[in-house]
Amino acid sequence: MSYAKTLSVGLVGMTGHVVEVEADLANGLPAVVLSGLPDTALNEARDRIRAAIVNSGQKWPSRRITVNLLPAALPKSGTGFDLAIAVAVLAGAGELPLAPLDGVILLGEVGLDGTVRPVRGMLPMVAAAARVGIVRVVVPVDNAREAALVPGVRVRATDSLHRLVSYVRGTGSLLDPPDDRPEAPAAGPDLADVAGQALGRRAIEVAAAGGHHVALLGPPGAGKTMLAERMPSLLPELDDEAALEVTALHSIAGVLAPGAPLLRRPPFQAPHHTATVPSLVGGGSGLARPGAISLAHRGVLFLDEAPEYQARALEALRQPLETGRVVLHRSGGGMEYPARVQLVLAANPCPCAKPAGDNYCECTPLARRRYIGRLSGPLLDRIDVQVTLTPLRAAELMSADGVGGEPSAVVAERVAKARAAAAARWSGHDGWRTNADVPGPVLRTPPWRLPPGQTAKLRHRLDSGSLSARGFDRVLRLAWTIADLDGRDRPDTGDVDEAAELRTGDGL
Ligand SMILES: [Zn+2]
């Protein structure tokens, strides 16, 4: 036989497609031709696979070898096809009976010495195979536990091409995924560690409950970072679908620890302010790596010292924040990654970041306005909660000393109830899951419009110009979230007043 076919999976963004790998061996000058839109990495596969086959004690067929990856129109990238190509070549040369691999997906990179190495994106690739009914896979041993996260799939593993060849010939066996239970990751920092800071704590609780973005303003020492880091601990655990999606994104980025369980906690990403645009939104050659905003999908993206980010970087985040996804333009066509995050942004009120007053900060009012102004426009426009925090006073610290704040678990319970109430209220509207998703005009019209008496103060501020129309809508959204948190069907005057307080950063 001079023709053989094996199965593998290719990824385009998050979406996996089953790929048929054909090898045809013909008489003629020894050569290897790869076709089916291979990228550079795939071309390098040629030499890698030849060395792997030889170093596994097999004979490299000295014939004219054509390897074709189907469907041809699908862009292919990465090193995950190596194993399928190597086996197809050996089988095409008549060296291997393929019956044991009938209907089996082969995934893995081969090293020059014939070892089989892990590849990025194992989870979404195996999930794609399972979706089309292919439930037997052979994967690199270091990816085996990740592959086994997909329900209903029979995962076998190999550490070398030699082991797979022996198995196919019936002289050896494959490995099973390790069955030791991976330890659950340690819980993130807890809100109980934050002393005082009533306004800041309330701000992130309301933000978590309503799905609102938050801006925390204030001088160093006001606890902005501590609060931001604790936001994920207030959010509900990810359901099965979200957990698979989030874990898949981390797998494609290559940041999933080997043997990590399915990610159940909302992720937290805090890219440094020197972060490049690709590291924030994704990019790179071959299979594009998701950026920080996609790694924070269903969790929290924290931008500390936000005005220090490059203008281009902030601009690049605008579209994903609006649509909940990142679209990357590639040579082989566009592809996208999900990016539905809660943004927490922290900023000092001025460029020198020294405390105000007492001759510490000498920034001019113009310099201060310019500094915060870097965030203005589209980014701040989308942020419902904007609070200005003050450094902890000694009295606050002393009174909280030893007692500690309310722990995250208690707050998270209130958040979960509030989210359930909002989800029930907006259940008739596609895409509205939290109050933050609700367009402003909806809350200004019946049946959701609040009685005039409750919004009198707000309307006065609107008329006097101290509150913008957008700010008005934000206060209404926050008032609903506060009512949800406190178990009221509709906001009362107190809720509206508190909502207005969570806009103390207004007028930036
Ligand atoms: Zn200053």
Side-chain angles (χ1 to χ4, degrees), residues 350-354 361-363 368:
C350 74
C352 81
K354 289 177 189 160
C361 165
E362 293 180 352
C363 299
R368 293 168 72 99

Side-chain angles (χ1 to χ4, degrees), residues 90-91 94-101 165 168-170:
L90 285 174
E95 300 280 328
L96 281 184
L98 268 188
L101 294 180
V165 167
V168 175
R169 290 192 178 134

Side-chain angles (χ1 to χ4, degrees), residues 56-270:
S56 300
Q58 307 302 313
K59 212 172 122 234
W60 179 258
S62 71
R63 299 167 71 180
R64 181 179 167 80
I65 304 169
T66 306
V67 174
N68 188 30
L69 276 61
L70 294 168
L74 187 78
K76 300 170 194 75
S77 55
T79 51
F81 302 110
D82 284 8
L83 203 54
I85 295 173
V87 170
V89 168
L90 285 174
E95 300 280 328
L96 281 184
L98 268 188
L101 294 180
D102 198 24
V104 177
I105 295 274
L106 302 177
L107 291 166
E109 174 183 324
V110 295
L112 297 177
D113 57 353
T115 55
V116 172
R117 296 174 181 163
V119 292
R120 291 191 282 137
M122 182 56 64
L123 177 66
M125 290 195 281
V126 173
R131 258 197 306 279
V132 296
I134 303 179
V135 295
R136 292 170 65 210
V137 297
V138 175
V139 303
V141 68
D142 289 339
N143 279 141
R145 202 145 42 180
E146 184 182 329
L149 293 174
V150 179
V153 171
R154 191 154 157 249
V155 177
R156 305 304 306 280
T158 185
D159 51 1
S160 66
L161 180 59
H162 178 74
R163 181 183 291 281
L164 181 59
V165 167
S166 306
Y167 163 76
V168 175
R169 290 192 178 134
T171 59
S173 56
L174 293 172
L175 305 168
D176 286 317
D179 60 358
D180 52 323
R181 291 220 148 201
E183 273 177 49
D190 198 284
L191 206 51
D193 312 332
V194 180
Q197 285 304 2
L199 178 63
R201 294 175 65 103
R202 185 64 169 169
I204 62 165
E205 174 174 346
V206 169
H212 308 283
H213 300 317
V214 200
L216 302 172
L217 308 171
K224 304 187 295 284
T225 305
M226 276 189 91
L227 287 165
E229 286 169 346
R230 281 150 183 81
M231 178 105 159
S233 70
L234 308 185
L235 295 171
E237 287 228 316
L238 305 176
D239 61 21
D240 288 352
E241 191 198 336
L244 269 175
E245 199 178 28
V246 169
T247 311
L249 282 162
H250 286 243
S251 165
I252 294 171
V255 295
L256 198 64
L262 219 49
L263 302 176
R264 286 284 174 188
R265 291 300 311 157
F268 178 80
Q269 291 284 317

Side-chain angles (χ1 to χ4, degrees), residues 267-337:
F268 178 80
Q269 291 284 317
H272 191 255
H273 60 72
T274 55
T276 60
V277 171
S279 75
L280 284 174
V281 299
S285 60
L287 176 61
R289 285 174 200 268
I293 193 168
S294 288
L295 293 177
H297 177 58
R298 307 264 192 178
V300 173
L301 178 68
F302 177 45
L303 303 184
D304 200 4
E305 306 194 36
E308 301 285 345
Y309 285 74
Q310 302 169 42
R312 285 192 311 131
L314 296 175
E315 175 62 25
L317 292 174
R318 194 173 55 83
Q319 183 77 10
L321 284 173
E322 247 163 61
T323 59
R325 61 204 171 86
V326 171
V327 179
L328 297 170
H329 299 285
R330 322 287 302 162
S331 54
M335 45 146 294
E336 62 178 62
Y337 288 124

